[in-house]
Amino acid sequence: MEAWRRCQWNGHRLATVSSEADSKLLEAAIGASSVKTGPWWIAGTDQGSEGNFIWISTNIPVGFGTGYENFYPDQPDNAGGAEDCMEIGRWGGVRWNDAPCGWKQRYICEQIKGQL
């Protein structure tokens, strides 16, 4: 939630990934940044209903309308019964993993469509 608030504070939102094109944009942004290794928070969470991820930035279910998901193999696994937030880059690349929401780590914001 801290990452979500920080993105909002700057007039952005925590990144959502609804397609392979979105994943490629994230890859390009990471490649152009000074920090090339993750993990980073993105906007997916299943805090409201275990196993049912939504994008908190848009309140839309992950995969809704597109079916797109990009979890690492065997993820999400809710290890320890406490993994409710979505990150990318845990083991390289931009695939998704569920992780404990309280972990302090980098995050990726995106510009809200329609804003400059």
Side-chain angles (χ1 to χ4, degrees):
M1 296 311 280
E2 180 180 348
W4 178 75
R5 281 191 298 275
R6 287 182 179 213
C7 288
Q8 280 198 318
W9 176 259
N10 290 306
H12 296 87
R13 67 181 184 193
L14 202 54
T16 60
V17 187
S18 301
S19 66
E20 187 172 341
D22 289 348
S23 284
K24 289 183 187 292
L25 286 172
L26 280 177
E27 253 178 341
I30 291 166
S33 76
S34 60
V35 179
K36 302 197 185 320
T37 57
W40 299 272
W41 290 124
I42 58 174
T45 183
D46 69 347
Q47 279 186 309
S49 176
E50 184 58 43
N52 297 303
F53 283 85
I54 65 160
W55 297 113
I56 60 171
S57 295
T58 61
N59 203 32
I60 295 174
V62 169
F64 180 78
T66 66
Y68 184 78
E69 291 187 2
N70 193 25
F71 284 102
Y72 286 103
D74 301 320
Q75 296 299 327
D77 64 353
N78 197 34
E83 294 188 331
D84 294 321
C85 288
M86 194 183 297
E87 64 179 10
I88 62 168
R90 167 78 38 199
W91 299 287
V94 293
R95 296 196 78 163
W96 309 343
N97 177 52
D98 58 335
C101 298
W103 285 359
K104 300 288 184 193
Q105 56 194 39
R106 294 177 185 93
Y107 51 92
I108 298 177
C109 302
E110 67 181 0
Q111 185 173 341
I112 299 171
K113 290 179 177 139
Q115 289 187 352
L116 297 177

